Amino acid sequence: MASTNDLKNGMVLDLEGQLWQVQWFQHHKPGKGNTVVRTKLKHVLSGKIIDKTFNSDTKVDTATVDRREMQYLYMDGDDYVFMDNTTFDQFMISADTVGDAKDFMLENQNAIVATHEGNPLFIELPASVELEVTYTEPGLQGDRSTGGTKPATLETGKEIQVPLFITTGERIKVDTRDGGSYLGRVSS
């Protein structure tokens, strides 16, 4: 049990038997009335996001979520095989659980795997990863007044928009939080 005053981003709540992860929260004091806590909650299994408002100091159930660093080894059919870095046990995690993290994961890369009662819930990647551009068209700077972008395919197969000066074979830094925006070149 925790109070709504103790909420933190990333905390997992057990509301009516369903697991919800806190994406965002804000304490709000209206002109009249009691303080409330506004939240954006993401359903752990379906990914659905809802807005929920709690009265201040309301008790909520928290779920015990174990976050462990694991290494992504390989893909086996539709499942992803991860190895616990401390016990060396291997786990099969479904593609649904891995979700969009698959677009940024390379074999032998570490990630945080969150589990609840032994069941994997979701994968947390670092805020940014370094990936190689496997294909992009040569950039042609036309008569534009601002910098343009072009599509580029990464070594994971994900396609993102990059500046015109990026070429095939370059390593770039990509933001994993927003679906893969370009952050910059990686100097060798």
Side-chain angles (χ1 to χ4, degrees):
M1 273 299 219
S3 165
T4 53
N5 293 335
D6 302 327
L7 292 181
K8 292 182 176 41
N9 289 340
M11 183 181 274
V12 178
L13 306 177
D14 186 348
L15 302 176
E16 299 167 11
Q18 304 217 15
L19 299 179
W20 298 86
Q21 183 179 28
V22 177
Q23 300 292 92
W24 172 87
F25 69 96
Q26 178 185 40
H27 294 273
H28 179 69
K29 173 78 168 126
K32 293 181 179 178
N34 295 331
T35 303
V36 295
V37 179
R38 294 180 177 162
T39 62
K40 276 196 189 306
L41 303 174
K42 179 180 179 182
H43 193 270
V44 170
L45 300 177
S46 70
K48 177 182 174 184
I49 295 181
I50 63 167
D51 293 325
K52 187 158 178 71
T53 303
F54 297 96
N55 287 329
S56 180
D57 213 23
T58 302
K59 299 293 183 201
V60 290
D61 287 328
T62 57
T64 304
V65 176
D66 183 24
R67 288 177 163 84
R68 290 187 181 179
E69 186 169 10
M70 295 190 187
Q71 185 179 38
Y72 167 56
L73 298 178
Y74 57 90
M75 195 165 174
D76 184 12
D78 289 337
D79 294 330
Y80 292 79
V81 179
F82 283 81
M83 178 182 67
D84 189 315
N85 288 348
T86 54
T87 64
F88 304 109
D89 292 336
Q90 292 187 9
F91 300 92
M92 302 279 278
I93 300 178
S94 71
D96 290 339
T97 303
V98 172
D100 292 337
K102 72 181 181 323
D103 295 332
F104 308 105
M105 287 189 328
L106 295 174
E107 291 182 356
N108 302 319
Q109 177 183 341
N110 286 337
I112 303 294
V113 177
T115 59
H116 174 67
E117 296 176 355
N119 299 320
L121 299 176
F122 54 88
I123 308 295
E124 291 178 356
L125 292 176
S128 66
V129 293
E130 296 177 4
L131 296 170
E132 183 178 329
V133 175
T134 56
Y135 178 77
T136 187
E137 295 285 336
L140 298 174
Q141 185 67 28
D143 53 345
R144 14 183 116 76
S145 59
T146 61
T149 61
K150 61 183 179 177
T153 304
L154 303 174
E155 59 187 309
T156 59
K158 172 81 172 166
E159 189 172 286
I160 66 166
Q161 294 293 316
V162 297
L164 295 172
F165 57 81
I166 297 296
T167 60
T168 300
E170 280 192 83
R171 291 193 64 77
I172 61 172
K173 193 176 264 193
V174 179
D175 191 336
T176 61
R177 298 168 295 189
D178 65 2
S181 62
Y182 169 82
L183 293 176
R185 284 179 169 158
V186 176
S187 52
S188 303

